[in-house]
Structure formats: C-alpha cells, structure tokens
Amino acid sequence: MLELKRDASVKGKNGIAFIMAATIIWLAITVVYSQTIPLQTKNIILLFLTAFLFPLALAVSAMVKADWKLADNPLGMLGLFLNLAQFMYFPIIFWAFIQSPKEMIIFFAVVTGAHFFPYGWFYEAKPYYIFAPIISVSIMLAGWRMEESQLWIIPLMMMIFLTILSLFLYGDYKSKVKGN
C-alpha cells in the first residue's frame, strides 16, 4: 500500500496541479469580492468560477507533467472519489447562498480547506495534514465578525494558504524523488 501511495505521490506530484489551479481560481474570486457589486452577484460568480477548476487543473497538470489520472495505479480512482467527496458538502454552500449570503464565501473556504485532509494519507504528504486544519480554523476565525466589505480577505487568505501549501507539497515531492 505504501508503495502505491508513493507512486501516486511522485507521478501525481502530490496533486500540486490542482492546488495551483485552485490558487488561480481563488485569485479570481479575490478580484470579484473586491468589486463593488452586489453580494449575491459575487456569490453567483464564485459558483461559476469553480467550474473552471478541473479544466484549469488539467492544463496545469500538462504544464508540470503530472499524471492526474494515475490510471496504472489502483489508488487512482480513490483520488477521484476523495475529490468528489467535497461535493457532498455543497448543500451547506447552497444553504448559505440562500440563508446566509454573507457567510457563503466563509463556508466555501472552510469546506475547501477541510477537504485536503485525506490527501495527506493518499499522497503520504504531511503538508495536507497540516494545512487542512490551519486553513479551516483560520478562515473561520477571520470570518467570525467580518463585515461584508471585508469579505475579499477570505479568498485572499485562501490564495496565500494555497500558494504556501503548493511550495510545501513541491518540497515533499522533490524529497520523494531524491529518495528513490
């Protein structure tokens, strides 16, 4: 099992292409939330921007030469299921969209951060274990009493966290490649 996870980590480069793509998406979300448009419009744009994550991740995977499918690894489908599991939390996001629009971005960021945790096991990459709770708790605390005009800080925080996570994941990947 450990060998399969190491293979997924090296060939998939710790999933860094998806993290890099997410960083770009969160940059776009930061720009949207810094605009003086209605909050409902910002929240709708947020949902639409997430549709670009997968195609962008595929493009980044090609650029960094990461195998995102892991077709020759029995754990490849598990990686897909771990990612799809995030969608099970979307009812919370939709509830926030309707009932608590100001907090929607906070819910979305917390769910995004938390969903990284199982990737620590999948890729044998400690940065996922570390950053999942850091992101979730930090976003929750920052958003606790945040005014609507300050909501752009949440996606900015996500962008910064994801950039740092990418660097740590790359370092972890490089140490595994040198260890082979």
Side-chain angles (χ1 to χ4, degrees):
M1 179 68 77
L2 186 60
E3 191 56 40
L4 290 174
K5 292 194 294 184
R6 180 174 284 280
D7 178 70
S9 177
V10 171
K11 288 182 180 172
K13 296 191 177 179
N14 279 343
I16 197 169
F18 283 83
I19 303 299
M20 293 169 70
T23 304
I24 294 166
I25 297 296
W26 281 99
L27 169 62
I29 294 168
T30 303
V31 170
V32 168
Y33 276 78
S34 67
Q35 303 302 307
T36 56
I37 56 179
L39 180 60
Q40 185 174 9
T41 303
K42 291 175 186 180
N43 288 344
I44 290 169
I45 294 170
L46 161 67
L47 291 173
F48 278 108
L49 284 172
T50 62
F52 293 102
L53 178 63
F54 187 69
L56 186 56
L58 295 182
V60 175
S61 290
M63 288 172 33
V64 301
K65 296 176 178 59
D67 179 5
W68 68 273
K69 286 189 209 178
L70 301 171
D72 61 338
N73 186 319
L75 295 178
M77 283 303 292
L78 177 59
L80 175 64
F81 286 125
L82 291 175
N83 196 31
L84 292 176
Q86 182 182 11
F87 291 114
M88 299 308 119
Y89 299 107
F90 268 48
I92 296 168
I93 306 305
F94 294 131
W95 174 87
F97 179 80
I98 296 165
Q99 296 294 322
S100 191
K102 188 181 124 208
E103 285 79 19
M104 183 185 143
I105 184 86
I106 298 162
F107 280 82
F108 193 82
V110 168
V111 166
T112 299
H115 105 281
F116 293 139
F117 192 78
Y119 287 101
W121 179 88
F122 184 78
Y123 289 119
E124 284 291 316
K126 289 180 184 168
Y128 282 117
Y129 287 133
I130 295 165
F131 274 83
I134 288 174
I135 291 170
S136 296
V137 172
S138 297
I139 295 294
M140 181 196 66
L141 292 174
W144 203 273
R145 296 197 181 267
M146 191 169 279
E147 298 296 321
E148 187 177 320
S149 64
Q150 300 171 313
L151 288 176
W152 62 271
I153 295 170
I154 299 297
L156 177 65
M157 287 175 66
M158 281 299 293
M159 192 182 70
I160 292 167
F161 282 135
L162 292 174
T163 300
I164 297 167
L165 176 58
S166 293
L167 294 172
F168 279 103
L169 288 172
Y170 183 74
D172 180 79
Y173 159 75
K174 290 302 273 184
S175 70
K176 288 173 183 164
V177 169
K178 286 182 184 175
N180 283 345

